[in-house]
């Protein structure tokens, strides 16, 4: 988390001496359950100690004045109810405000400065952290009374309507509901969730950032979602109650294979199997069987790469190197894909050897230094 002193000084410099309030919302990791959220399936994310933090104060006007520390203290102002701002980063605030209004909330103008340490483009949901941070802050300073679940939906709809990504709810939910030392097992259809302790003994969660972000990320994300919906539309002809892939079995999909476009079929098969893998991983976790959890994680990568088509050479390579290290129990790309990072469960005493090896080989092959990101599972969005 960024030092609040930096925010305090920045706030005083840009907005004068009155005391702001501070709010923070974290990024997330996800153990397993990828691309299942918008299909009504299950996910297993956790909030981390990398967050977006804001210093904010209501200004008794209709104007929002923002300063983005991580954009070299770039400034942007807009009027509530006015034109969408030009700066993409300011659209997250604009979107959150508009979505709050849509639900009957009425935030006023404010002055704010924000910054963070969620690695950008690493698949750790810096944008959900920003939405959850803005949502939590506005909810509190304007006493809007939204629940955390509503704030998660506000963040998700901000992505849909103002950023152009038809994302699921995992990232915003994790950022708002996460708890230190726990993962959130979330049913993305009912939004029922269980907070599960996550403290595998002798195992380290290692994140290796490819440092690449392919341009396709958001457009292909929406394409994947549409391909899943295409599969559902076919099944729905026979079972009209089916709304989401979550309700379709592999047998059912198989029996309509000839009616579904082959690419969409592959995408749907991945999602159905991914839900099963998550269940298997949760059962194994309950028995402290992290060898089995690791196997499911490896299988997820295989599916994301070959069936779902959201991996890339750089991610595949890091996972391939993992397979040559018996100390790595499982490794896979994490998040939406097309770049970002690999998450691996590695035996504590073999983690450094794997990291050194993968760094050396990755740099030799791609001429890029990968970034190793240390994370701790920490609390979700809050005033600080
Ligand atoms: C992105 C989206 C999430 C989810 C993941 C893939 O992070 O924001 O909603 O779909 O990709 O699991």
């Amino acid at each position: 988390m960024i030092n609040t002193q930096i925010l305090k000084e920045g706030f005083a410099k840009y907005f004068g001496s009155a005391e702001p309030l501070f709010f923070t919302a974290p990024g997330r990791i996800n153990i397993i359950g990828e691309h299942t959220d918008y299909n009504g399936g299950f996910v297993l994310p956790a909030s981390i100690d990398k967050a977006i933090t804001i210093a904010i104060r209501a200004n008794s006007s209709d104007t929002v004045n923002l300063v983005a520390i991580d954009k070299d203290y770039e400034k942007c102002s807009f009027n509530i109810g006015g034109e969408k701002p030009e700066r993409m980063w300011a659209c997250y605030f604009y979107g959150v405000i508009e979505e709050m209004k849509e639900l009957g909330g009425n935030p006023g103008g404010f002055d704010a400065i924000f910054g963070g340490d969620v690695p950008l483009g690493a698949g750790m949901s810096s944008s959900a952290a920003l939405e959850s941070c803005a949502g939590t802050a506005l909810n509190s300073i304007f006493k809007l009374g939204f629940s955390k679940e509503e704030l998660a939906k506000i963040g998700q709809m901000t992505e849909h309507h103002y950023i152009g990504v038809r994302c699921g709810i995992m990232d915003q939910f994790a950022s708002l509901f996460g708890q230190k030392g726990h993962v959130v097992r979330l049913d993305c259809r009912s939004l029922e969730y269980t907070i599960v302790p996550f403290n595998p003994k002798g195992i380290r969660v290692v994140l290796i950032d490819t440092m690449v972000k392919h341009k396709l990320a958001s457009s292909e994300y929406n394409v994947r979602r549409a391909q899943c919906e295409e599969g559902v539309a076919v099944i729905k002809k026979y079972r009209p109650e089916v709304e989401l892939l979550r309700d379709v079995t592999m047998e059912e999909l198989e029996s309509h294979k000839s009616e579904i476009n082959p690419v969409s079929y592959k995408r749907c098969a991945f999602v159905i199997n991914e839900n099963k893998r998550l269940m298997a991983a949760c059962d194994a976790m309950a028995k402290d069987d992290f060898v089995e959890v690791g196997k499911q994680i490896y299988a997820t990568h295989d599916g994301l790469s070959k069936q779902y088509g959201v991996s890339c050479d750089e991610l595949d390579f890091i996972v391939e190197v993992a397979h040559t290290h018996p100390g790595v129990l499982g490794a896979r790309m994490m998040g939406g894909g097309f770049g970002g990072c690999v998450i691996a469960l590695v035996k504590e005493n073999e983690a450094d050897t794997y990291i050194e090896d993968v760094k050396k080989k990755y740099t030799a092959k791609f001429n890029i230094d990968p970034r190793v990101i240390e994370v701790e599972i920490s609390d979700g969005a809050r005033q600080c």
Side-chain angles (χ1 to χ4, degrees), residues 26 46-50 174 178-182 376-380 382:
S47 49
I48 54 173
D49 58 343
K50 310 270 179 283
Q179 280 182 25
K180 191 176 166 58
H182 293 74
E376 239 178 76
I377 298 182
S378 301
D379 283 331
R382 61 199 183 275

Side-chain angles (χ1 to χ4, degrees), residues 28 34-35 37-38 167-171 221 335-336:
R28 59 108 188 89
E34 218 64 90
H35 288 276
D37 59 354
Y38 52 84
C167 66
I169 200 158
M170 165 169 74
D171 303 349
Y221 183 93

Side-chain angles (χ1 to χ4, degrees), residues 28 30 33-39 43 123-125 127-128 156 159-160 165-172 221 225 270 274 304 308 310 332-337:
R28 59 108 188 89
N30 184 26
E34 218 64 90
H35 288 276
T36 45
D37 59 354
Y38 52 84
N39 288 299
V43 290
M124 297 167 87
S125 301
S127 49
Q156 182 194 17
E159 293 278 348
H160 284 217
V165 181
R166 294 180 64 216
C167 66
I169 200 158
M170 165 169 74
D171 303 349
Q172 293 78 7
Y221 183 93
R225 187 166 178 159
F270 165 79
E274 180 66 356
L304 285 165
Y308 216 62
V310 292
R332 67 173 191 86
M333 55 147 279
M334 189 178 77

